[in-house]
Amino acid sequence: MKIIIEKNIPFIKGLLDNIAEVSYLSPEEINAETMRDADALITRTRTRCDASLLEGSKCSFIATATIGTDHIDLDYCRSRGITVKNAPGCNAPAVAQYVMASIAAVRGCGNDFTLGVVGAGHVGSIIVDWARSMGIRTLVCDPPRAEKEGAEGFCTMDEIARECDVITFHTPMTREGKYPTFHLLDHEFTAKLKRKPLIINSARGPVTDTAALLDGLRDGKIGHAAIDCWEGEPGISRELLEKAVIATPHIAGYSREGKIRATRMAIDALTSHFGLPEVEMKERVPSGAATEVTFSSVAASYDPLSDTAALKSAPETFEQLRNTYNYRDEAR
């Protein structure tokens, strides 16, 4: 069998070479021609997996070494019998580390503020647990969970806008369905902000509307912005880059441990799907996030301002900074 692997996926080189014909390609090289005789693809977010890539291909399996799947046309894959697997939760501790370290960089390590967490899945739940253990008043908005579990313990976006000094987004990016998240932060939401909050987007770029962010920063409705996920990546807004206090090239989840988990999950999904022998990885990491952390320990584990300086000094190198990132260790 033949497997195409995006060459920027870490810790994967050589793992499948003994059981399949493997080609390691850049995102630009993964196209309809190279996919035509491939049985499987292991990729990241930079490869759009849809009819233009897969029509006429023998590919029956796609694994993305990422949490998100918005780069994959799931309806098309279902219609063609192509199995799709992602890596849910793989980098959740790293993104939580990024968020808390960003808050510390902007506000210091005090706990006298109200935090709003929009989306309490893998990442958001860690942030909620950490923040509450640090004595931070934390509000949670997650309509799908509230609908399933009951409203107690959850709040509305209006309450988040009214009461929170820091608002961090951790939703998937969806345009359809009962609770679409495209431009969840828009002009209507920013108009309701009462406390000039720090806005953090380490979810997906289109969850926050760039124009609304910029207008909110200009008119003082938003106090600060920390942006890791951008609309139009890698062609990001230079004005938002300039105005954001923290600006990073989509690396919030780029911990060594998170990358190992993602690769492990992609490999396991592929070998299970095709009935191939189990593959051993020499790298072993904790399965989840640390349970006991302090604000100061998280802040000491990562400084987002150094990554901000690198991007602001050379925004045209967004992809290079992302692809050559020196993976950090998670907070422990």
Side-chain angles (χ1 to χ4, degrees):
M1 65 177 295
K2 182 176 180 179
I3 304 169
I4 301 292
I5 298 177
E6 191 202 305
K7 69 178 184 180
N8 294 318
I9 296 174
F11 308 109
I12 200 169
K13 192 72 179 288
L15 292 180
L16 294 167
D17 293 30
N18 291 333
I19 58 177
E21 177 189 342
V22 181
S23 295
Y24 299 92
L25 304 179
S26 69
E28 296 75 23
E29 294 171 319
I30 301 174
N31 53 43
E33 182 178 350
T34 55
M35 284 298 300
R36 195 165 305 280
D37 62 345
D39 298 284
L41 170 66
I42 301 180
T43 187
R44 297 189 308 162
T45 58
R46 287 299 183 256
T47 300
R48 177 67 187 166
C49 301
D50 56 14
S52 64
L53 178 72
L54 299 165
E55 193 68 34
S57 169
K58 59 187 286 194
C59 179
S60 65
F61 178 86
I62 297 172
T64 179
T66 62
I67 293 175
T69 58
D70 45 288
H71 55 296
I72 301 174
D73 187 336
L74 297 175
D75 289 336
Y76 173 83
C77 289
R78 273 191 292 268
S79 73
R80 294 297 187 275
I82 300 171
T83 298
V84 176
K85 295 292 185 179
N86 63 333
C90 63
N91 62 0
V95 179
Q97 174 194 36
Y98 176 94
V99 169
M100 301 307 288
S102 295
I103 296 170
V106 176
R107 299 183 53 94
C109 292
N111 62 3
D112 56 340
F113 66 94
T114 298
L115 171 64
V117 178
V118 182
H122 290 287
V123 176
S125 294
I126 295 172
I127 293 170
V128 171
D129 289 344
W130 282 2
R132 287 177 174 165
S133 73
M134 296 172 190
I136 299 166
R137 179 177 182 245
T138 304
L139 303 183
V140 181
C141 179
D142 191 316
R145 281 191 58 186
E147 182 177 74
K148 183 178 180 179
E149 302 168 23
E152 186 177 353
F154 297 99
C155 70
T156 65
M157 288 294 286
D158 284 352
E159 290 173 279
I160 293 282
R162 185 173 61 248
E163 298 189 34
C164 293
D165 304 284
V166 178
I167 302 172
T168 183
F169 290 86
H170 301 288
T171 68
M173 212 303 288
T174 58
R175 294 174 181 266
E176 308 296 335
K178 190 173 182 179
Y179 302 109
T181 62
F182 175 73
H183 286 183
L184 198 54
L185 181 149
D186 57 11
H187 285 93
E188 182 179 354
F189 178 76
T190 57
K192 298 175 182 177
L193 296 173
K194 299 299 183 185
R195 302 183 64 82
K196 299 181 178 181
L198 163 65
I199 300 291
I200 305 173
N201 184 0
S202 56
R204 285 290 180 268
V207 170
T208 55
D209 178 6
T210 298
L213 283 170
L214 286 170
D215 287 344
L217 288 164
R218 290 189 200 106
D219 64 24
K221 297 293 288 186
I222 297 173
H224 297 286
I227 307 297
D228 182 62
C229 298
W230 308 72
E231 290 195 287
E233 292 178 14
I236 65 176
S237 165
R238 299 300 175 88
E239 185 178 359
L240 183 56
L241 174 65
E242 178 185 343
K243 291 184 180 299
V245 64
I246 291 172
T248 50
H250 204 147
I251 49 75
Y254 275 32
S255 68
R256 186 183 66 85
E257 297 93 331
K259 291 300 180 183
I260 293 170
R261 291 187 202 105
T263 295
R264 173 80 272 167
M265 293 169 80
I267 293 289
D268 286 349
L270 183 142
T271 55
S272 174
H273 177 80
F274 289 104
L276 298 172
E278 195 172 303
V279 172
E280 287 294 324
M281 287 181 69
K282 65 179 181 180
E283 297 88 358
R284 298 184 183 276
V285 296
S287 59
T291 55
E292 295 183 11
V293 297
T294 65
F295 226 150
S296 57
S297 70
V298 175
S301 73
Y302 172 58
D303 178 13
L305 296 178
S306 60
D307 288 331
T308 296
L311 182 59
K312 289 198 173 194
S313 66
E316 70 280 0
T317 65
F318 188 100
E319 287 291 84
Q320 180 183 347
L321 290 170
R322 193 170 188 245
N323 289 332
T324 60
Y325 191 73
N326 185 22
Y327 302 124
R328 63 186 186 272
D329 288 324
E330 293 172 357
R332 288 287 160 190

